[in-house]
Amino acid sequence: FPEMLSNPKLVPVQGTLNVVMKQNVTLSCLSEPGSAPVRYTLFKHNQQVSAVNRSDLTPALFTLTISSASDVGEYKCKAEHNNSSGGKYSNSLNFTLIEPISKPVLSSPTSQAKKGQNVTLSCLSENGSLPITYLFFKGTQNISPQKTMQKREAAVIFLFIDSLSDFGTYKCKANNSFPNNTKYSDGFNFTLAAEERSHSQPLIISLGLTLLLLIIGFALAIPFFIIPLYKASE
């Protein structure tokens, strides 16, 4: 009599259940212990996908192509002896479809700031598989620890504008589990608030007004002093 089969074990050969669109994946199904021959059948949502006969105690391999979101549904395999009733079912597997992230958008509630002010920066990728990890930069130097977001919400950092150098260019980058898919935002710059600019330029304004008054005074002096002196010298 053939040895009774155990529940087979279904595992991904590539070692991960994270997949991308148009990827080929292979599933291995093996009942151990048990005696050959064994017929293995792969099911997706209880619908038969493929079947393999094994005359020895080697696993059945099933290769699939992830061509749509429906291909990441629940998979199981069944092991049974030929010409026998019943059979044993494996554990179930569900693939996770990972998608590339979109270019993140860096923003702030205000685009103007002044020295001594607290400001915030937010970074968000609207598309892409979660979780998404964000990192903030000023110039080429990172200015925050990595922030990993499990939900579709922006990563936020708080900054203190302490000097004019804090008005440099800020950027953020985002990545997820999709391979080779790091994206950077456009640059963001705070501008100096209008009242701050006016306070920082009083000397220039004062000099400008003084020069203007001198020009006006010189123009007014021409008909009263310079022209009579010129005529007197003739």
Side-chain angles (χ1 to χ4, degrees), residues 3-18:
E3 183 182 351
M4 183 176 292
L5 293 169
S6 61
N7 289 88
K9 187 175 182 181
L10 185 65
V11 295
V13 172
Q14 67 271 18
T16 177
L17 291 172
N18 291 335

Side-chain angles (χ1 to χ4, degrees), residues 106-140:
L106 184 63
S107 61
S108 175
T110 179
S111 60
Q112 291 191 338
K114 57 186 179 181
K115 287 187 288 183
Q117 181 178 344
N118 290 305
V119 295
T120 61
L121 281 174
S122 301
C123 186
L124 176 64
S125 287
E126 290 285 356
N127 299 298
S129 304
L130 299 169
I132 298 176
T133 299
Y134 297 94
L135 191 62
F136 292 81
F137 296 85
K138 185 166 79 72
T140 58

Side-chain angles (χ1 to χ4, degrees), residues 183-203:
K183 297 285 182 68
Y184 287 84
S185 71
D186 290 331
F188 182 92
N189 289 76
F190 292 103
T191 56
L192 192 62
E195 62 270 20
E196 189 79 0
R197 289 198 301 269
S198 64
H199 292 160
S200 65
Q201 297 176 349
L203 182 60

Side-chain angles (χ1 to χ4, degrees), residues 49-222:
V49 175
S50 182
V52 174
N53 290 313
R54 279 286 179 262
S55 59
D56 53 18
L57 297 178
T58 58
L61 299 178
F62 301 97
T63 299
L64 311 167
T65 300
I66 305 300
S67 57
S68 69
S70 64
D71 292 327
V72 299
E74 182 186 65
Y75 288 86
K76 286 186 177 182
C77 75
K78 178 183 179 183
E80 58 189 330
H81 286 125
N82 290 336
N83 303 318
S84 67
S85 60
K88 296 292 184 68
Y89 285 89
S90 73
N91 55 297
S92 61
L93 289 182
N94 284 276
F95 290 106
T96 299
L97 184 63
I98 57 175
E99 298 176 307
I101 54 175
S102 57
K103 181 177 179 179
V105 175
L106 184 63
S107 61
S108 175
T110 179
S111 60
Q112 291 191 338
K114 57 186 179 181
K115 287 187 288 183
Q117 181 178 344
N118 290 305
V119 295
T120 61
L121 281 174
S122 301
C123 186
L124 176 64
S125 287
E126 290 285 356
N127 299 298
S129 304
L130 299 169
I132 298 176
T133 299
Y134 297 94
L135 191 62
F136 292 81
F137 296 85
K138 185 166 79 72
T140 58
Q141 182 178 3
N142 72 70
I143 55 172
S144 73
Q146 288 189 349
K147 293 181 176 289
T148 300
M149 310 304 293
Q150 304 291 339
K151 297 180 180 179
R152 186 76 59 189
E153 57 189 20
V156 179
I157 62 169
F158 300 91
L159 302 172
F160 179 70
I161 303 299
D162 188 45
S163 65
L164 291 177
S165 64
D166 294 324
F167 289 89
T169 300
Y170 293 85
K171 284 188 177 184
C172 69
K173 76 173 183 179
N175 59 61
N176 63 0
S177 55
F178 194 94
N180 303 316
N181 186 232
T182 297
K183 297 285 182 68
Y184 287 84
S185 71
D186 290 331
F188 182 92
N189 289 76
F190 292 103
T191 56
L192 192 62
E195 62 270 20
E196 189 79 0
R197 289 198 301 269
S198 64
H199 292 160
S200 65
Q201 297 176 349
L203 182 60
I204 295 174
I205 295 173
S206 177
L207 289 174
L209 289 174
T210 301
L211 181 61
L212 180 61
L213 290 173
L214 287 174
I215 293 172
I216 293 172
F218 182 74
L220 292 174
I222 290 176

